[in-house]
Amino acid sequence: MSNNSNDKKTNNTFYEWQDFKTNIVKASEAVPDSSLRGRRFLDRVDRWFRKLDGVTLRYIPENYHPFIQAGAIANFMFVVAVITGFALLIWYSPSVHYAYDSVVSMSDKPYTAELIRSLHRYSSDAFMLFVLFHAFKVFFAGRFSGSRWLAWITGIIAVLLIWFDGWLGYWLVWDERAAMIATGTAKMIDVLPIFAEPLKASFLTDDSFNSVLFLIVFFMHMLIPIAFGIAIWLHVARLNKPAFITNRNFSILLLGSLVIVSLLFPADVEGPADLMSAPENVTIDYFYLLPLILTERLQGGTLWLIFLVGFIAVSSVPWIMKRQKEDTQPVIDEIKCNGCTQCFHDCPYNAISMVPREKGNPKKSEFVANIDPSICVSCGICVGSCDPVAVEYPNLSPWEIRSKIDKWLDEENRTLEGQFIAFVCGNSAGSLLTIDSETGECKEMPGYLVATLPCAGWVHPTLIERALKKGAEGVLVSGCESDPDFRLGADWLGDRIEGERHPEFRKDRYEVDRILYLKLDKPDFSKFLTEAQQFRGSREKENR
């Protein structure tokens, strides 16, 4: 068939797209959380986050990227705050009568006490900055539903713990800000039936302030980080190979930045606390002291109402925004499983464990894989890990995809002489593709037959080999680039194609040049289409 004939049929396929009235889907519908309420709005904002990642990745390596590693940076800042907090005990006096003077005297030691106090202050602010960025990024990416609810709830608790610790930390300076914090806290505590007499009675005069209460605040400030550590441990407990903290070189760079900022802008101190007069022109740290705007104007009951409603609303997001959807979690066919443990090692969420075999031939293996449905996020990466095809994925059966590819590439069904197959992750740059799921025809990619996936890691190398064996001129696979929704799946597939991870693509049987693996994020749709057509054009030119 001539090249002109090919182009003509390609154009016909494109312009006659309206003929496909059934089975039309968007590639983004392949992801497990596609049914979230407000998903379209979340995607729009998520694209801006992805665009920000993409622009900055041109100039900043991923190992030093502040947006991709926001969570790890926040944890590093927490460590700095804890270490400098303990170091400050050398100069700080935890007494209501001497606390303020001990803090003011630190300014006489600009390269020791004052520097450490400023590091303590700015590392705490940086923690809140990066953890909030991380939280918003996770929210708009929709990574909070289903089995990820635990990470969402523990993340909220961790943020509240550190915020409250910072609130108490400013109290310990015992300056004008501290007096505002103390009276605001008393206003809320007095609503609760804890003390026989109102706590605010302790704040009528400077002499009436209870020194024991000040010590309680001090010890709470010291102990809350332990609770935070537990919350963070639970936050990442379900992750395989979590990036808990930044690497050594990046940590040194971050610490150096903190030191420079601390030397240029030492942490300030307001005037001494005066409970007899209202403070004026007091500057506040908006990361921790923003509630002062409310405590100065509202009653304790109203403050509690705002807090509880806000906490319940944010905590219930994983359930409020989730629509009922058919179960898409994979299960293991114990009879087929050979106990190789590859899926156990590949799962990004530690949802797979090896348990004693109860069915099948015991000579195969003593143990078989088992998927915990309470942890599984339905990413499908285990499907791409399994040689015996023992993973049954209800939403996207590997046997079904194999049958579709065989049908699409059958000589009688072909619409083009040179046909290309594309496996597209629903969270990647190809998420906007419009596809007929039955025929594989794609409105935006003439010449390609497209199968949509929850993650690029779902693809087993034998599926690529099968498409090439059945006559596909080339195979395109699309995965995420920065901060993938299912963490390690895109990397695992890249390693499999390169032969660096089992199951490997067999380079001795098939040409790697006939595979194009694109790792591009959602905003790079135009680039994705360009790369796909260039790949197709180059293969056709080589064949001619």
Side-chain angles (χ1 to χ4, degrees):
M1 186 181 294
S2 68
N3 184 52
N4 290 337
S5 178
N6 266 345
D7 291 340
K8 184 176 180 180
K9 287 196 173 185
T10 298
N11 291 333
N12 288 340
T13 302
F14 179 79
Y15 289 115
E16 294 173 5
W17 172 253
Q18 286 75 10
D19 292 343
F20 302 102
K21 297 294 185 182
T22 60
N23 305 311
I24 294 177
V25 297
K26 283 286 187 182
S28 58
E29 295 177 21
V31 298
D33 55 6
S34 62
S35 63
L36 286 175
R37 290 185 173 89
R39 182 74 216 200
R40 186 174 298 179
F41 170 73
L42 295 179
D43 274 343
R44 287 176 182 173
V45 181
D46 182 48
R47 289 177 188 279
W48 283 102
F49 277 106
R50 302 279 185 180
K51 187 173 292 186
L52 181 63
D53 287 346
V55 170
T56 50
L57 272 173
R58 299 173 190 171
Y59 312 102
I60 305 174
E62 188 169 338
N63 289 337
Y64 297 88
H65 201 284
F67 304 141
I68 295 176
Q69 299 199 49
I73 294 174
N75 289 335
F76 172 75
M77 294 300 172
F78 168 74
V79 172
V80 173
V82 169
I83 294 174
T84 53
F86 276 106
L88 283 175
L89 295 178
I90 299 172
W91 300 279
Y92 179 73
S93 176
S95 166
V96 68
H97 303 293
Y98 304 108
Y100 180 78
D101 292 336
S102 66
V103 172
V104 172
S105 65
M106 293 180 189
S107 60
D108 298 332
K109 309 172 186 66
Y111 300 108
T112 52
E114 186 177 58
L115 174 61
I116 292 175
R117 177 172 175 261
S118 298
L119 284 172
H120 187 67
R121 156 78 181 275
Y122 291 124
S123 60
S124 300
D125 283 347
F127 169 88
M128 195 60 71
L129 173 65
F130 282 101
V131 83
L132 289 176
F133 182 87
H134 173 70
F136 280 112
K137 196 173 184 182
V138 166
F139 173 75
F140 288 111
R143 299 200 291 260
F144 53 77
S145 62
S147 303
R148 295 175 175 181
W149 69 267
L150 179 63
W152 179 261
I153 296 297
T154 53
I156 293 171
I157 293 173
V159 171
L160 288 177
L161 285 171
I162 288 299
W163 170 81
F164 187 57
D165 204 35
W167 176 268
L168 297 181
Y170 274 104
W171 186 330
L172 293 175
V173 178
W174 203 233
D175 58 1
E176 291 179 307
R177 280 183 299 224
M180 296 170 66
I181 294 169
T183 53
T185 304
K187 186 182 290 187
M188 293 191 68
I189 291 178
D190 285 343
V191 176
L192 307 175
I194 298 177
F195 299 105
E197 296 183 2
L199 187 62
K200 63 183 179 182
S202 301
F203 305 142
L204 296 177
T205 65
D206 294 331
D207 296 332
S208 65
F209 188 84
N210 193 327
S211 58
V212 176
L213 177 61
F214 196 84
L215 282 174
I216 292 174
V217 171
F218 171 75
F219 283 111
M220 286 180 65
H221 181 67
M222 299 292 289
L223 295 175
I224 285 176
I226 298 176
F228 171 81
I230 296 172
I232 285 297
W233 174 75
L234 291 171
H235 187 66
V236 300
R238 293 182 171 182
L239 299 183
N240 182 12
K241 303 180 184 298
F244 182 75
I245 202 166
T246 51
N247 62 56
R248 184 181 63 180
N249 292 338
F250 195 17
S251 298
I252 293 172
L253 179 62
L254 292 170
L255 183 59
S257 302
L258 284 175
V259 170
I260 293 173
V261 172
S262 299
L263 290 173
L264 293 177
F265 309 99
D268 64 334
V269 183
E270 298 291 340
D274 184 0
L275 299 175
M276 300 294 292
S277 61
E280 297 180 359
N281 300 323
V282 173
T283 59
I284 65 173
D285 181 347
Y286 287 100
F287 285 115
Y288 294 97
L289 304 184
L290 186 61
L292 286 178
I293 297 174
L294 299 178
T295 58
E296 292 294 305
R297 294 168 172 81
L298 302 177
Q299 297 300 314
T302 307
L303 294 171
W304 275 113
L305 179 63
I306 293 173
F307 170 74
L308 292 175
V309 170
F311 176 75
I312 293 173
V314 175
S315 299
S316 58
V317 160
W319 297 276
I320 292 175
M321 298 188 67
K322 182 181 178 181
R323 287 195 179 100
Q324 292 297 326
K325 192 177 181 181
E326 293 182 6
D327 186 21
T328 60
Q329 291 182 321
V331 293
I332 302 293
D333 186 335
E334 191 171 324
I335 296 176
K336 293 181 181 178
C337 179
N338 61 13
C340 70
T341 73
Q342 190 61 46
C343 61
F344 168 75
H345 293 294
D346 281 1
C347 180
Y349 300 96
N350 290 327
I352 299 178
S353 57
M354 303 303 295
V355 299
R357 179 185 291 276
E358 295 181 358
K359 298 179 182 178
N361 187 355
K363 293 182 179 179
K364 273 189 176 183
S365 64
E366 182 181 355
F367 296 92
V368 293
N370 180 68
I371 300 176
D372 186 343
S374 67
I375 302 177
C376 177
V377 300
S378 303
C379 62
I381 293 173
C382 51
V383 176
S385 303
C386 189
D387 278 337
V389 199
V391 182
E392 298 178 356
Y393 191 86
N395 202 40
L396 190 66
S397 167
W399 294 109
E400 180 185 342
I401 293 297
R402 289 186 183 192
S403 298
K404 281 188 177 182
I405 290 174
D406 291 349
K407 180 180 177 182
W408 293 347
L409 295 175
D410 186 79
E411 291 290 342
E412 297 180 0
N413 297 326
R414 289 195 190 186
T415 57
L416 298 173
E417 183 177 315
Q419 194 67 272
F420 289 74
I421 296 293
F423 298 106
V424 177
C425 164
N427 283 314
S428 70
S431 61
L432 292 178
L433 292 176
T434 308
I435 304 155
D436 186 304
S437 60
E438 191 62 33
T439 65
E441 299 281 356
C442 178
K443 179 179 180 180
E444 297 84 2
M445 291 176 62
Y448 280 90
L449 299 176
V450 182
T452 58
L453 316 170
C455 174
W458 183 95
V459 178
H460 192 288
T462 56
L463 196 60
I464 300 174
E465 295 172 3
R466 188 179 190 87
L468 296 175
K469 182 180 179 180
K470 291 291 182 178
E473 291 295 330
V475 175
L476 180 150
V477 185
S478 172
C480 304
E481 181 180 18
S482 64
D483 198 13
D485 279 55
F486 296 118
R487 302 184 63 244
L488 305 173
D491 291 338
W492 287 167
L493 177 60
D495 292 343
R496 293 169 192 163
I497 293 174
E498 293 298 326
E500 298 174 357
R501 190 177 189 86
H502 185 79
E504 303 90 348
F505 175 78
R506 292 176 290 186
K507 297 180 180 180
D508 56 332
R509 297 190 182 185
Y510 302 95
E511 300 174 30
V512 179
D513 291 344
R514 294 172 67 187
I515 303 172
L516 176 63
Y517 183 31
L518 290 177
K519 293 177 69 175
L520 295 171
D521 288 325
K522 293 177 182 177
D524 298 320
F525 184 56
S526 297
K527 183 178 180 181
F528 166 76
L529 295 179
T530 301
E531 294 273 358
Q533 294 307 323
Q534 286 178 350
F535 172 62
R536 177 170 165 261
S538 65
R539 292 300 310 167
E540 290 178 346
K541 183 178 180 180
E542 184 176 331
N543 291 338
R544 290 196 298 272

